[in-house]
C-alpha cells in the first residue's frame, strides 16, 4: 500500500509478536571469514533491514568491524517507494529504530558499518532530469490504479538530494563513518520486463567498475595509511579527459 509518510521502523513478527529468528550458521561463518563486507544496494525496508533483524547477523558485523574488516553500506542509486520521504540521515535512524525494537537495546549504525557509498548525481544533467520526470509521470499513472501499485516499488521517486553534500559528510563523520559520495551510476537501457514486450526500458544503475575501483582504493589506503596514485584518467573512474570529482578524489 502506498504511504506518503516515511517508514519509521521495520520488525519481523511471529504469532503477533516481534521476533528475531536465528541466523543460518553458514551466513555467520561467511561474515567471520570475509575480508570486506558489502551491504546493499537493495530495498531498505523489505530486503536490507530484515536481514539485520535475524539474530546473530549484527553481532558478527560488529565483531568484523572491530577486527578491522571494512563493512561498507551501499545506498541505492535513487530513492524508491521505501525511502522516498527519507534523507540518508533519517534512513539511518530507521535502521537503528528497527534494531532497537527487535533486540530491546539501543543500536548505533556506526557499531557495525565503517564506510558508506552514496550516489549523488549531477542534478543539472538534462538527461537525468528527463529520466526523473518520466518516472514521476509513470508513478502518478500507477497510483491512480490500486491494482497496479505493486509496480511502483522499483520506480525512482527521486535522488538523495534533500541534504547538501557537506551535511551528509558531516553526519557520517560525526559518527566515525567514512563516506564516499559522487556520481557512481549511469543510465542504461535494458529489455522490458513486461512479458512479450520488445521495448527497452531506461534504468539508473551503479557502474560496477567504479564501485570495485573505489573499494580497492579504500583497502589500499586503510592498509598503508598514505596512498599515492599515478594513473590514466580514463572511463574506469571518470568520463574520458575530464577532471576527477572532489568526492571521488
Amino acid at each position: 500500500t502506498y504511504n506518503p509518510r516515511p517508514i519509521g521502523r521495520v520488525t519481523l513478527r511471529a504469532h503477533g509478536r516481534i521476533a528475531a529468528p536465528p541466523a543460518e550458521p553458514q551466513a555467520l561463518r561467511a561474515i567471520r571469514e570475509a575480508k570486506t563486507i558489502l551491504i546493499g544496494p537493495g530495498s531498505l525496508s523489505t530486503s536490507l533491514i530484515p536481514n539485520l533483524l535475524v539474530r546473530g547477523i549484527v553481532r558478527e558485523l560488529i565483531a568484523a568491524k572491530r577486527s578491522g574488516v571494512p563493512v561498507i553500506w551501499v545506498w541505492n542509486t535513487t530513492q524508491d517507494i521505501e525511502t522516498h520521504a527519507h534523507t540518508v540521515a533519517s534512513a539511518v535512524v530507521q535502521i537503528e529504530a528497527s534494531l532497537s525494537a527487535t533486540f530491546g537495546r539501543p543500536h548505533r549504525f556506526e557499531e557495525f558499518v565503517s564506510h558508506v557509498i552514496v550516489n549523488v548525481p549531477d542534478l543539472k544533467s538534462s538527461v537525468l532530469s528527463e529520466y526523473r520526470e518520466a518516472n514521476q509521470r509513470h508513478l502518478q499513472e500507477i497510483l491512480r490504479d490500486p491494482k497496479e501499485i505493486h509496480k511502483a516499488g522499483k520506480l525512482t521517486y527521486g535522488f538523495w538530494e534533500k541534504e547538501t553534500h557537506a551535511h551528509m559528510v558531516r553526519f557520517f563523520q560525526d559518527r566515525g563513518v567514512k563516506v564516499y559520495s559522487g556520481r557512481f551510476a549511469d543510465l542504461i537501457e535494458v529489455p522490458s520486463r513486461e512479458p512479450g514486450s520488445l521495448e527497452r526500458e531506461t534504468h539508473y544503475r551503479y557502474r560496477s567498475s567504479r564501485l570495485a575501483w573505489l573499494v580497492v582504493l579504500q583497502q589500499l589506503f586503510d592498509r598503508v595509511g598514505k596512498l599515492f596514485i599515478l594513473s590514466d584518467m580514463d572511463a574506469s573512474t571518470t568520463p574520458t579527459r575530464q577532471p576527477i570529482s572532489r568526492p571521488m578524489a
Side-chain angles (χ1 to χ4, degrees), residues 1-40:
T1 301
Y2 173 71
N3 186 348
R5 296 176 298 176
I7 298 172
R9 70 181 189 185
V10 176
T11 57
L12 304 179
R13 290 183 172 269
H15 307 294
R17 296 183 177 182
I18 295 176
E24 286 289 333
Q26 300 97 312
L28 301 179
R29 189 181 316 119
I31 296 174
R32 293 188 198 111
E33 296 174 355
K35 305 298 184 190
T36 298
I37 299 171
L38 297 177
I39 304 175

Side-chain angles (χ1 to χ4, degrees), residues 5 14 24 27 47 55 69 72 77-78 87 90 95 103 118 127 146-147 159 163 165 189 203 207 216 221 236 245 249:
R5 296 176 298 176
E24 286 289 333
S47 293
R55 190 172 301 277
V69 173
I72 306 170
T77 57
T78 61
T87 63
S90 65
I95 295 168
F103 298 111
V118 187
V127 177
K147 296 180 181 178
F159 300 102
E163 297 163 290
H165 174 260
E189 285 194 349
H203 291 273
R207 181 182 286 181
V216 168
F221 184 81
S236 63
S245 67

